[in-house]
């Protein structure tokens, strides 16, 4: 049984800081964040990178709320003073979700999931930190008010795909975009990122209508972009065992008159993929849709699974992409994945490219396509078209929107 509290700490104003201080400040801001975390880490504590803006601090031997509160107070003190970003001062803001060890949380993975649930709660309630036991995390997952609100938001069309550009590594030419959901929450009057709600929605039945809405929406937008630009849509594992996914995607492509080859379905390998999921992917592949394995290298994937998946594209996880600048091991992993993919006639996308040096390195290591803040953040369709394509043929946009969606 795990005996240590797990504190998931997120730098929540990262995007705002980067907007204010420029893309060149990304590395420095993350460094300051990490050094704040290291300053409260005691000997024996663990510090794991979950994503560049999220770290998990394993508080060795800590299993009481009062001791966790003391550790958090120390963290807030460490991050209270503004940091210097190229001569300007910047205030780091963090929120934390903490999992309390207990009998319901037997493994580190469950602790992390409980901490994630607590962090979501902290973000929603705008609290600096929230501590959850396994029971509290389970109760939060089943919060009927939250799911009722999601249902309402779905009916109101508040879920909108944003688009992040993907470019060729060789020439920086636009090849397409990944659709990433944003919740235009009309009650809270803010744009909510998927980290706050997607996991809970994925655990509920609402993930079906949400994914279908996003698929149709993204396909309709892509049909108005010039050929051969593509759109990539994230499909959660739960939907891959549903045969109707094939019909739904086929219908959406027909209605929008989009060439199936311009749709990429991004799937994540979280554990062993059921046979049925491989069959569904096979049917999508037969339609002409492209398949990408997302977050490659982080799941519990095996080469047997890799061999059986009808995939065309491998998306290297951001951890290796960003790690490659400093770590020879990460560079070796990127090179090996590129080699593997090439031999299997697959393309490789490096995601999370945040600066020119990283883009150059990924190109040198043989990646085909690049995606990341260096090229552009996810933005609404209008902004995407304006920034990367030029004015769309307006009449068609209206046609597809009327046919498929209503407005967003
Ligand atoms: P993902 O599919 O791995 O998407 C990539 C995430 O990395 C996106 O976060 C994107 O905004 C972010 N990102 C891209 N470039 C950079 C970069 O250079 N630096 C950093 N720090 N981050 C970068 P986002 O939009 O918050 O999405 C997070 C996750 O939520 C996605 O991870 C995906 O798992 C899930 N998600 C997003 N949209 C959807 C959706 O429509 N359906 C489903 N089921 N899941 C979605
Ligand atoms: Ca993805
Ligand atoms: Ca990814």
């Amino acid at each position: 049984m795990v005996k240590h509290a797990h504190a998931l700490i997120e730098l929540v104003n990262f995007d705002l800081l980067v907007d204010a201080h420029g893309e060149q400040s990304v590395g420095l801001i993350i460094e300051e964040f990490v050094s704040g975390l290291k300053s409260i880490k005691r000997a024996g504590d663990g510090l794991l990178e979950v994503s560049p803006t999220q770290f998990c601090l394993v508080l060795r031997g800590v299993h009481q709320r009062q001791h966790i509160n003391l550790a958090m107070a120390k963290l807030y003190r460490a991050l209270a003073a503004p940091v210097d970003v190229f001569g300007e001062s910047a205030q780091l803001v963090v929120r934390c979700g903490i999992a309390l060890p207990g009998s319901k949380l037997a493994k580190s993975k469950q602790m992390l999931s409980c901490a994630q649930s607590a962090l979501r709660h902290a973000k929603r309630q705008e609290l600096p930190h929230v501590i959850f036991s396994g029971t509290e995390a389970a109760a939060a997952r089943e919060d009927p008010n939250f799911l009722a609100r999601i249902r309402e938001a779905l009916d109101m069309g508040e879920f909108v795909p944003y688009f992040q550009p993907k470019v060729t590594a060789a020439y920086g030419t636009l090849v397409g975009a990944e659709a990433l959901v944003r919740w235009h929450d009309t009650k809270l009057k803010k744009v909510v990122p998927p980290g706050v709600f997607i996991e809970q929605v994925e655990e509920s039945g609402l993930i079906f209508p949400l994914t279908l809405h996003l698929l149709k929406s993204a396909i309709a937008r892509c049909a108005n972009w010039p050929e051969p630009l593509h759109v990539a849509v994230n499909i959660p594992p739960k939907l891959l065992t549903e045969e109707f996914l094939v019909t739904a995607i086929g219908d959406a492509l027909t209605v929008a008159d989009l060439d199936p080859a311009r749709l990429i379905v991004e799937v994540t390998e979280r554990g062993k993929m059921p046979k049925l999921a491989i069959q569904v992917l096979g049917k999508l592949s037969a339609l002409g849709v492209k398949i990408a394995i997302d977050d490659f290298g982080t799941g519990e994937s095996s080469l047997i699974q890799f061999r059986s998946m009808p995939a065309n594209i491998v998306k290297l996880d951001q951890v290796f992409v960003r790690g490659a600048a400093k770590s020879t091991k990460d560079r070796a992993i990127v090179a090996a994945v590129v080699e593997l993919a090439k031999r299997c006639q697959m393309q490789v996308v490096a995601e999370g490219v945040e600066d020119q040096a990283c883009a150059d390195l990924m190109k040198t290591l043989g990646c085909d396509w690049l995606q990341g803040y260096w090229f552009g953040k996810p933005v609404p369709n209008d902004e995407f078209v304006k920034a990367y394509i030029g004015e769309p043929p307006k009449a068609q946009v209206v046609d597809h929107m009327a046919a498929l969606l209503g407005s967003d």
Side-chain angles (χ1 to χ4, degrees), residues 24-78:
Q24 70 279 10
S25 66
V26 165
L28 199 53
I29 292 168
I30 300 284
E31 252 172 53
E32 291 288 353
F33 172 47
V34 174
S35 100
L37 298 180
K38 283 189 177 155
S39 74
I40 68 150
K41 180 176 168 284
R42 300 160 313 163
D45 286 353
L47 188 62
L48 316 165
E49 180 178 344
V50 177
S51 79
T53 55
Q54 258 190 17
F55 282 76
C56 181
L57 185 62
V58 181
L59 297 159
R60 198 165 191 83
V62 175
H63 47 79
Q64 287 181 15
R65 285 177 193 261
Q66 74 217 62
H67 293 151
I68 294 172
N69 284 328
L70 285 175
M72 288 302 111
K74 216 164 121 191
L75 174 68
Y76 303 140
R77 273 201 302 278

Side-chain angles (χ1 to χ4, degrees), residues 17 72 110 130 148 155 157 179 192 219 260 279 303 356 397 401 407:
L17 290 174
M72 288 302 111
Q110 290 169 323
V130 164
D155 293 343
V192 185
I219 287 173
Q279 281 168 10
L303 289 174
Q356 185 67 57
V397 173
M401 281 168 70
S407 67

Side-chain angles (χ1 to χ4, degrees), residues 263-299:
L263 174 68
I264 298 174
V265 159
E266 290 195 7
V267 296
T268 313
E269 296 175 291
R270 292 182 207 149
K272 191 170 167 2
M273 210 170 256
K275 242 193 188 140
L276 188 54
I278 306 274
Q279 281 168 10
V280 167
L281 288 175
K283 286 185 184 166
L284 286 173
S285 193
L287 275 185
V289 171
K290 300 279 180 270
I291 316 284
I293 309 177
D294 204 357
D295 305 335
F296 190 77
T298 59

Side-chain angles (χ1 to χ4, degrees), residues 9-15 17-18 21-38 47 49-55 79 83-86 90 92-94 318 322-323 326 352 354-355 373:
I9 303 162
E10 180 171 325
L11 178 62
V12 283
N13 65 337
F14 174 71
D15 284 352
L17 290 174
V18 175
H21 299 279
E23 296 288 339
Q24 70 279 10
S25 66
V26 165
L28 199 53
I29 292 168
I30 300 284
E31 252 172 53
E32 291 288 353
F33 172 47
V34 174
S35 100
L37 298 180
K38 283 189 177 155
L47 188 62
E49 180 178 344
V50 177
S51 79
T53 55
Q54 258 190 17
F55 282 76
L79 296 176
V83 297
D84 180 68
V85 179
F86 304 124
L92 306 184
V93 180
V94 295
Q318 311 196 8
R322 268 194 294 272
K326 288 196 184 136
E354 290 185 348
D355 52 45
Y373 291 169

